[in-house]
Amino acid sequence: MKNREIILKWILVLFLIGILWVLLFSLPNTYSVNNKVVVKYVGKYNQSMNSKDEIMNSAMKFLNAQDSLNKDINTQLLEDLITQDEYVEKAEVYLDVTGAINIYVYFRKPFVRLLRDNEVYYYDSEKVMLPALSNVDDNLLVVTGHLDQDNFEQLFFLVKMIYNHEFLNEHIGGVHYDKDLGYTLSSKICDLGINIGKNPLFDTVKIEMIKVFYTFLGQELNCDYCKSIDIQYDKQIICIK
């Protein structure tokens, strides 16, 4: 009899544990529209882009459109909604233990400054044109010239090479493309033009040629000696006055 009572007690305990287990995993991650939405920007933020209030309003509209005030939050859907803005590169949404929604927003970053018809345009590294920007890194390369879709791709490849090379990044301030002459780099020293031809690929030989001429220009010549140099030919530096 005693053993039977012990067994019944254990069955009851296990039954209650089972009910609690089911309830624990069946409860949704609830969120009420009265809970807080926090928008945080990661990295530099430009005031001409979306304000935190605009993103917060979009999030609140999304939450108010749910079938119930308390239900599972589809964070992926909310992230997709925020990234519909072409200037937002990425959004991450987290629901914390207090029920607040934390939205981390990553904006597209300006990569080049394009000068066309006396107007300035900014593009990110994926060639997405950005809105007018109020604060931009002064070291952004300036690109000019006759640019279509094909040579725009090549130009961005060249720009990435310049940014990734310590010497070129320090000494080159811009790139110009001419359909007849090809690519010309604009030097930060003496406003010297450096014609590399129609092939945007930069090899170590051409870089060494630029370094040699810079040294020679600084030691033996002055800024008026050459208006530009042409290094598109092997082992030749042609001075153009």
Side-chain angles (χ1 to χ4, degrees), residues 158 172 174-178 180-187 192-199 202 206 209-210 227-233 236-238 240:
L158 176 58
I172 303 301
V175 181
H176 177 79
Y177 177 77
D178 183 277
D180 296 320
L181 298 177
Y183 297 92
T184 300
L185 310 182
S186 177
S187 171
L192 180 73
I194 304 170
N195 182 20
I196 64 173
K198 295 184 178 182
N199 186 355
F202 233 123
K206 283 186 170 58
M209 290 168 68
I210 296 174
K227 181 180 179 181
S228 63
I229 60 173
D230 192 325
I231 61 169
Q232 62 180 308
Y233 306 106
Q236 294 185 57
I237 301 177
I238 301 174
I240 302 171

Side-chain angles (χ1 to χ4, degrees), residues 22-67:
V22 171
L23 288 174
L24 178 64
F25 283 91
S26 63
L27 286 174
N29 292 323
T30 59
Y31 177 82
S32 168
V33 291
N34 294 320
N35 288 24
K36 187 165 61 173
V37 175
V38 181
V39 179
K40 301 177 182 179
Y41 292 148
V42 180
K44 291 184 179 179
Y45 162 64
N46 193 283
Q47 295 299 322
S48 64
M49 293 182 177
N50 293 38
S51 70
K52 292 183 180 181
D53 287 341
E54 290 174 315
I55 294 176
M56 189 178 300
N57 289 337
S58 295
M60 294 303 293
K61 287 180 181 178
F62 170 84
L63 295 169
N64 281 318
Q66 304 297 294
D67 296 333

Side-chain angles (χ1 to χ4, degrees), residues 69-129:
L69 294 183
N70 294 295
K71 64 175 296 180
D72 285 327
I73 302 277
N74 190 331
T75 56
Q76 180 62 54
L77 196 60
L78 181 53
E79 290 173 357
D80 292 342
L81 174 67
I82 296 170
T83 53
Q84 283 180 2
D85 188 307
E86 62 179 331
Y87 306 131
V88 174
E89 182 177 21
K90 184 175 65 171
E92 296 177 347
V93 177
Y94 301 99
L95 185 65
D96 66 22
V97 294
T98 68
I101 283 188
N102 294 273
I103 303 174
Y104 294 84
V105 181
Y106 301 75
F107 285 104
R108 293 184 178 275
K109 303 176 183 65
F111 182 71
V112 295
R113 182 187 286 112
L114 173 65
L115 182 61
R116 177 182 289 159
D117 299 328
N118 295 322
E119 295 288 339
V120 177
Y121 304 92
Y122 294 95
Y123 288 81
D124 79 342
S125 59
E126 296 179 354
K127 297 174 289 297
V128 174
M129 189 171 74

Side-chain angles (χ1 to χ4, degrees), residues 166-179:
E166 183 178 359
F167 174 81
L168 295 177
N169 190 35
E170 181 180 353
H171 292 88
I172 303 301
V175 181
H176 177 79
Y177 177 77
D178 183 277
K179 58 184 179 180

Side-chain angles (χ1 to χ4, degrees), residues 1-14:
M1 186 73 177
K2 188 175 181 180
N3 290 337
R4 185 178 177 183
E5 290 177 354
I6 294 175
I7 293 173
L8 289 174
K9 286 181 180 179
W10 274 109
I11 292 174
L12 180 61
V13 170
L14 292 173

